[in-house]
Amino acid sequence: MSDGLVLAVDTATDSVVAGVAALHAGEVRVLAERAVADHRRHAELLTTLIAESLTESGTARTDLTAVVVGCGPGPFTGLRVGMATGAAFADALGIPAYGVCSLDALAAEADRDVVDAGSRTLVVTDARRREVYWALYEGGRRLRGPEVAAPAVVAEELAPDWSAGRIRVVAGSAAHLESAGWTGAAPAIAVPTVRGLTAAAAAGIGAGRMPEPLVPLYLRRPDAVEQKDRRAGAAR
């Protein structure tokens, strides 16, 4: 297994997340982490948060051995900031960039202390337009998703799990989880974390596996394209 220092970034939600973690034999130790909720300033904040994390952890850029990037699902504008920045860091340093589903990162953090292998974890985040991004997990494996749908559709899809009490852990947006059927306590994990992001990529990093190209999980076309298409249709 390879060990090393990992830079992790995510801009798939309204929060900008960046930090440095040490990965050793599959175990993740967070050395520095920043998370700022401001969906309008992803590009402005990210490089600053990366610099602060490197300084706090005492890590030089040349000490990094890998970059982990949350690839969504998320909004087009915010998501591309994190992916472009992470890819640029990796390219400049000549190190691999591992893309992970941001919902997987949320689940990995939420499941850290789960001992019941039969319980399921639901992750729900805000997709705007009265919709949510969601995925369902069991034993660290993704069973469904990532998908985008109205909360009522998610609630209907998960009705058997709700009635059987199989979903015992949740992560993401409290309001949107509630609208999808969750009636328990608010989730402890609301946005991707450095630990979760690194854990989601740990198997590939530890094995020294070459990562796949970074591919954003938009799940739907950006607003600008849809508006352009609507104008074109009206003109026709």
Side-chain angles (χ1 to χ4, degrees):
M1 299 273 296
S2 316
D3 300 330
L5 296 173
V6 177
L7 172 67
V9 299
D10 187 281
T11 55
T13 69
D14 284 349
S15 292
V16 183
V17 177
V20 177
L23 180 62
H24 175 69
E27 296 295 320
V28 180
R29 182 166 60 94
V30 177
L31 305 180
E33 182 169 23
R34 296 286 187 276
V36 177
D38 189 337
H39 71 279
R40 297 182 181 276
R41 298 199 302 147
H42 283 68
E44 182 180 341
L45 288 169
L46 183 54
T47 53
T48 299
L49 300 185
I50 290 173
E52 290 177 359
S53 297
L54 290 171
T55 299
E56 180 182 321
S57 63
T59 304
R61 295 187 183 193
T62 51
D63 293 334
L64 295 170
T65 56
V67 176
V68 176
V69 183
C71 294
F76 179 81
T77 303
L79 189 55
R80 65 181 178 178
V81 169
M83 297 190 67
T85 302
F89 260 80
D91 185 61
L93 297 170
I95 57 178
Y98 293 83
V100 300
C101 173
S102 300
L103 303 186
D104 290 357
L106 278 156
E109 179 71 11
D111 284 346
R112 272 203 303 149
D113 300 319
V114 174
V115 294
D116 183 355
S119 71
R120 292 184 174 181
T121 298
L122 175 66
V123 178
V124 175
T125 60
D126 184 10
R128 303 175 188 175
R129 303 186 208 160
R130 300 181 181 178
E131 291 182 321
V132 296
Y133 298 120
W134 71 283
L136 185 67
Y137 302 81
E138 182 178 284
R141 181 173 62 92
R142 195 192 317 146
L143 300 179
R144 286 283 304 272
E147 299 178 26
V148 59
V153 173
V154 180
E156 184 178 351
E157 291 274 356
L158 297 177
D161 289 293
W162 292 133
S163 61
R166 284 191 290 262
I167 299 174
R168 301 173 196 171
V169 181
V170 295
S173 166
H176 294 88
L177 279 160
E178 184 177 347
S179 64
W182 174 249
T183 57
I189 309 301
V191 298
T193 64
V194 169
R195 185 189 306 277
L197 290 161
T198 306
I205 296 173
R209 192 179 306 141
M210 286 300 296
E212 298 290 329
L214 297 179
V215 178
L217 295 169
Y218 293 131
L219 300 192
R220 62 189 180 199
R221 295 181 301 171
D223 290 342
V225 172
E226 292 190 353
Q227 290 168 359
K228 179 181 177 181
D229 288 348
R230 283 197 293 267
R231 286 197 299 270
R236 285 196 296 269

